[in-house]
Amino acid sequence: THTPISIWFWAAYLVSSQTPGMSAVQFQRQLGLNRYETAFQILHKLRVAMVRPDRDRIGGDFPVEVDETLIGGRTRDEGRGQHHKTLVVGAIEERKRKENEGERDPRKALPRRGGLYAGRLRLHVAPDRSAQSLESFVIDSVQPGTQITTDDWSGYDHFAEKGYRLTQVAQRGDPDITEKHLPLIHLVFGNLKTWLNGVHHGVSPQHLQPYLNEFTFCFNRRFFPFNAFQSLLGIGAAMEPTTYDALYNAGPRRRPKPPRRISPVGN
């Protein structure tokens, strides 16, 4: 890199310790960088480094909620329907605070649904809602034998055959059932969409996965932001460097541009 090492340390600190995160536009202005592309690539390389290659699978002793959502913005003159949306599948642990835990436990400040609070999170872009795509995500993200709660979509029907204890609830878009049986993952999806629109003003489908990495990284370390900074430096130093081509290998190479007010990917 031709960028001073102090800029990289500032980027790692700001992106991991700021509660809402930081967009490339904010980072460029705060550190006085001349080019938006420089700020974008620094932050994007750090986002790629936020996933430890040998990270643990979630679940085990904790039940896990699994569901999917569509991330997408408004489309004009294309009629009604789901146009240009990106499918994101997520899994989150359901945890309960023990009665003997101290009053200073930071988890007491978390939003709860029915006495539950959110444990570890996994998010990933999925090509479709097929059983193969959903099963691949769950096998990579959740420990075998975990109790999984999800909706009645047919793509989840064979999870029991893959070694999971499955509970499927009839949802069909009923918000009351969602609130009762899948409260945490839908709370996460709502926060994710608000974050993408509010902080980044939308991101393109090509670059959505690194932003999911950032959201997951900060969410799982939300109690200890300075530890998040140390973790990011440690993971990034141990990984192979991400090249310019690797950031854009999902499609035609285009220079990044500051986001517009109307985003290609929103809520």
Side-chain angles (χ1 to χ4, degrees):
T1 178
H2 298 287
T3 305
I5 191 67
S6 59
I7 299 295
W8 286 90
F9 273 91
W10 270 115
Y13 175 75
L14 292 172
V15 78
S16 62
S17 63
Q18 300 293 317
T19 300
M22 175 165 283
S23 68
V25 172
Q26 291 173 301
F27 181 65
Q28 178 192 8
R29 291 173 180 171
Q30 184 157 341
L31 294 186
L33 300 177
N34 293 327
R35 302 177 68 242
Y36 172 82
E37 292 83 359
T38 301
F40 178 87
Q41 289 186 50
I42 289 174
L43 294 180
H44 223 53
K45 288 183 178 183
L46 290 173
R47 292 180 183 115
V48 173
M50 286 180 173
V51 179
R52 186 159 47 90
D54 58 343
R55 68 179 180 179
D56 300 332
R57 288 184 285 182
I58 65 175
D61 296 333
F62 302 102
V64 171
E65 297 176 13
V66 177
D67 204 1
E68 73 282 344
T69 187
L70 288 168
I71 307 290
R74 300 185 183 92
T75 53
R76 297 180 177 177
D77 303 323
E78 296 187 55
R80 295 184 178 183
Q82 300 170 353
H83 302 290
H84 315 301
K85 293 181 182 288
T86 304
L87 183 69
V88 172
V89 60
I92 192 166
E93 292 176 338
E94 293 181 348
R95 296 195 179 190
K96 294 183 178 180
R97 185 176 63 87
K98 298 178 181 178
E99 293 182 0
N100 60 353
E101 284 182 337
E103 292 296 320
R104 295 184 179 180
D105 186 349
R107 290 173 292 188
K108 291 192 68 178
L110 281 181
R112 282 186 178 76
R113 295 295 184 271
L116 301 175
Y117 74 87
R120 292 175 294 175
L121 172 68
R122 297 289 184 264
L123 293 171
H124 206 276
V125 173
D128 50 48
R129 297 181 70 198
S130 66
Q132 181 179 0
S133 298
L134 299 175
E135 290 171 4
S136 176
F137 166 77
V138 170
I139 290 171
D140 289 341
S141 304
V142 183
Q143 296 181 39
T146 300
Q147 176 67 49
I148 291 179
T149 303
T150 186
D151 60 25
D152 56 353
W153 173 248
S154 59
Y156 299 111
D157 289 347
H158 302 290
F159 277 15
E161 300 172 10
K162 304 297 180 181
Y164 299 96
R165 293 176 291 147
L166 179 65
T167 299
Q168 287 182 280
V169 296
Q171 184 181 5
R172 302 300 182 189
D174 189 327
D176 293 333
I177 294 179
T178 298
E179 179 70 16
K180 181 178 179 181
H181 297 283
L182 297 170
L184 297 178
I185 191 62
H186 284 270
L187 181 65
V188 166
F189 287 155
N191 291 342
L192 171 64
K193 295 175 182 180
T194 300
W195 177 73
L196 288 174
N197 280 329
V199 176
H200 300 288
H201 303 286
V203 299
S204 67
Q206 179 185 4
H207 297 299
L208 179 57
Q209 185 59 54
Y211 288 92
L212 299 181
N213 296 346
E214 178 186 352
F215 184 88
T216 301
F217 179 89
C218 294
F219 183 91
N220 289 341
R221 294 164 177 83
R222 59 197 181 275
F223 303 125
F224 310 104
F226 189 75
N227 287 353
F229 171 55
Q230 293 178 320
S231 296
L232 179 54
L233 293 180
I235 297 172
M239 292 181 64
E240 289 292 327
T242 303
T243 64
Y244 180 90
D245 287 335
L247 295 178
Y248 299 97
N249 62 3
R253 179 183 298 181
R254 300 183 211 169
R255 286 189 172 184
K257 296 181 180 180
R260 299 177 179 177
R261 290 186 180 276
I262 298 178
S263 59
V265 174
N267 52 9

